[in-house]
Amino acid sequence: METSKLYVGNLTYSVTEKQLEELFSQYGDVKSVRIIERKGFGFVEMGSAEEAEKAMAALNETEYEGRTMRIDEASPPRPRSDFNRRY
């Protein structure tokens, strides 16, 4: 794993950033947590790539708050395209 940032998907809308921080802190230092409101996913940044890998291995495909979480290495943000731009 190259990065310490994880994508966490298939979350219930009621899950809070504090809950995710507590869950992931069992696997190392949590630097930041960001949930995208009303989208059912978020991002967790761990202290190191090793800690992120450990958390992903332990938590991917596990049930949390009634839903099966999908955890993967976060991709870097893509630049916004000019696809819909009119000239």
Side-chain angles (χ1 to χ4, degrees):
M1 182 172 283
E2 295 178 19
T3 180
S4 60
K5 194 168 189 179
L6 298 170
Y7 163 85
V8 183
N10 202 34
L11 297 170
T12 62
Y13 294 165
S14 63
V15 170
T16 66
E17 291 177 351
K18 182 158 182 56
Q19 286 175 304
L20 277 187
E21 182 177 358
E22 289 173 3
L23 178 65
F24 279 80
S25 68
Q26 299 172 53
Y27 303 97
D29 180 41
V30 176
K31 285 183 151 185
S32 68
V33 178
R34 183 168 162 240
I35 292 178
I36 310 304
E37 282 190 42
R38 298 190 185 107
K39 296 291 184 183
F41 70 92
F43 299 94
V44 175
E45 186 173 5
M46 301 295 290
S48 69
E50 292 78 23
E51 291 173 340
E53 196 165 335
K54 185 176 164 185
M56 184 172 73
L59 297 172
N60 189 35
E61 301 289 327
T62 62
E63 190 173 308
Y64 185 69
E65 297 292 316
R67 299 191 73 177
T68 303
M69 290 188 296
R70 307 277 188 257
I71 302 172
D72 204 349
E73 187 174 358
S75 302
R78 291 182 294 195
R80 295 187 182 251
S81 71
D82 293 334
F83 180 77
N84 288 329
R85 205 175 267 189
R86 295 179 192 236
Y87 296 96

